[in-house]
Amino acid sequence: AWRARWSSVRPELSWESSPTHRGLRDALIPHGPFYAVARPGSWLADAPASNPRALDLRERMIEQSGRVGVVGRQDASGSIRLRVLTSLDRGVPQIVSSLGRARGPLPRLGGLIEPGVLGVVRVSLDPVSAFDLARSGLAAKERAQLEALLMTLEREVALDVEDAVISNLTGHAVAVVYGIELPETPHDSLADLALDALTGELTREALILPVADSDRLALFLDALTQLSRGRLVRQRVDDLLQYAWFGDDGELRAGALLTPDHLVVVDSAVSFNHAIAHARAPVELSPSLSRLGLDRLLDGEDRSGLYLDADALETLLGAREREVVGPWLEPLDHVLLVTRDARPFGVTDVTIALAREP
């Protein structure tokens, strides 16, 4: 047997005494009848850290993690809508805010994002800050290897790689998934399936990277073409530069199209055909996709998030994969997640559209 004893919380320790908590609560209440607030920073304490730099990064993230609020409702169409508000501890040096913002809007992507795509992922941040943060998180040996690689590239191509590539990116990255290609050996776990999906092993996609100066990036790619010993091939069609990367076996591995304002990297004939059509005649997003909310994902300069057509994805899975993820996908039609900075909070809106009854 066990006994429990209620004890009162001192007023100075009560969340109700915190202006941050009250502001979070007041921002949540208008968006739904049910809300919850938690402080998950302590949950990171058990996260693995492979080296002292990673340990320092984890500790800094724990220090600056603030409260998180969640509110939910179901709209007239039956979709579940969640709003997640996050706050940082403004009293300590911040990591996340140092990632900065992307520069300028996205180009028109209606020719690449068409009805029937399986998914869209967008990330928008300052590329230089993100690269510096990623580099700082490496172990000393790995960081030295990266620096050596950059120096070798700069010596070989006679260009400042970080200037021609990293700082030349505007900070937006949009991946459009057109299909999946399952391996002969089926996945036995959700973790294995998710890992292959995240690393692009399963998906056939196009990656859009807007650039500030396409001529400067072309100089870098052209230099790589000269150094590749025939594996990277270049051709110009009007104002469009096309690159194709071949493996040792002569098989096409990937391609890229460089337009005056963005680079499109493709990994299949399907994504290449979409990229060509888009480059020749850019169009606005389809009204049917706007009605699903994808315009909210693609608008603005500070948004990130994803769209997943769960219903279409389920139909493409093999029998074993359907056993693994089918129970998660079957109730869903699509999922849309959009996150943005709306100080004093970060705002993440999640729309879960449920599958219609047959």
Side-chain angles (χ1 to χ4, degrees), residues 102-354:
R103 308 188 306 274
L106 283 168
R108 289 184 295 176
L109 298 177
L112 286 165
I113 304 175
E114 297 180 322
V117 298
L118 287 184
V120 179
V121 179
R122 173 186 175 181
V123 176
S124 292
L125 41 72
D126 174 51
V128 175
S129 298
F131 180 73
D132 289 343
L133 176 63
R135 178 163 48 189
S136 70
L138 296 175
K141 181 179 179 180
E142 295 168 335
R143 194 161 58 253
Q145 291 173 341
L146 175 61
E147 298 297 338
L149 174 61
L150 292 175
M151 291 179 63
T152 300
L153 282 173
E154 289 177 8
R155 183 173 60 252
E156 295 288 345
V157 302
L159 287 171
D160 184 331
V161 176
E162 291 189 50
D163 179 68
V165 181
I166 304 299
S167 63
N168 197 10
L169 299 173
T170 67
H172 300 295
V174 179
V176 185
V177 181
Y178 298 105
I180 59 175
E181 186 173 314
L182 297 172
E184 295 182 2
T185 303
H187 295 85
D188 292 323
S189 71
L190 180 59
D192 291 340
L193 182 61
L195 179 61
D196 281 353
L198 290 173
T199 56
E201 293 294 326
L202 293 181
T203 57
R204 295 295 168 258
E205 71 277 337
L207 176 64
I208 302 98
L209 300 168
V211 296
D213 186 344
S214 61
D215 291 336
R216 189 159 29 125
L217 182 59
L219 288 175
F220 174 76
L221 294 174
D222 291 348
L224 289 184
T225 301
Q226 299 298 319
L227 297 171
S228 68
R229 299 178 181 177
R231 296 179 65 179
L232 181 62
V233 179
R234 167 194 182 272
Q235 70 172 354
R236 176 181 287 275
V237 180
D238 298 326
D239 62 347
L240 180 67
L241 286 174
Q242 301 179 20
Y243 299 86
W245 179 263
F246 295 89
D248 292 332
D249 56 3
E251 293 291 326
L252 181 64
R253 292 288 184 262
L257 292 86
L258 182 60
T259 75
D261 62 2
H262 62 278
L263 177 73
V264 184
V265 182
V266 298
D267 67 350
S268 64
V270 171
S271 54
F272 178 79
N273 291 336
H274 278 87
I276 285 288
H278 159 75
R280 290 175 177 168
V283 296
E284 300 291 347
L285 192 68
S286 163
S288 63
L289 293 178
S290 294
R291 286 193 293 271
L292 295 179
L294 260 77
D295 53 342
R296 300 200 308 272
L297 175 59
L298 301 175
D299 285 345
E301 300 179 8
D302 66 337
R303 301 189 180 191
S304 298
L306 63 87
Y307 162 81
L308 174 67
D309 187 336
D311 185 54
L313 176 59
E314 186 185 11
T315 64
L316 297 176
L317 294 176
R320 179 55 183 158
E321 284 78 14
R322 195 174 290 115
E323 289 180 8
V324 174
V325 299
W328 297 88
L329 297 177
E330 186 176 353
L332 307 177
D333 181 80
H334 67 271
V335 176
L336 176 68
L337 182 151
V338 181
T339 182
R340 56 191 171 85
D341 187 6
R343 293 180 178 248
F345 303 113
V347 178
T348 300
D349 289 315
V350 183
T351 302
I352 304 172
L354 302 179

Side-chain angles (χ1 to χ4, degrees), residues 6-64:
W6 293 99
S7 60
S8 61
V9 177
R10 299 199 309 273
E12 65 272 16
L13 298 181
S14 170
W15 278 13
E16 286 294 327
S17 67
S18 165
T20 300
H21 173 77
R22 292 197 300 269
L24 197 58
R25 177 198 60 198
D26 294 343
L28 290 169
I29 288 176
H31 296 282
F34 306 104
Y35 76 91
V37 177
R39 186 159 190 169
S42 58
W43 305 344
L44 295 172
D46 296 327
S50 58
N51 57 69
R53 296 288 299 180
L55 177 62
D56 177 64
L57 183 64
R58 186 189 69 184
E59 294 303 315
R60 289 168 62 192
M61 293 184 69
I62 291 174
E63 287 178 0
Q64 70 173 264

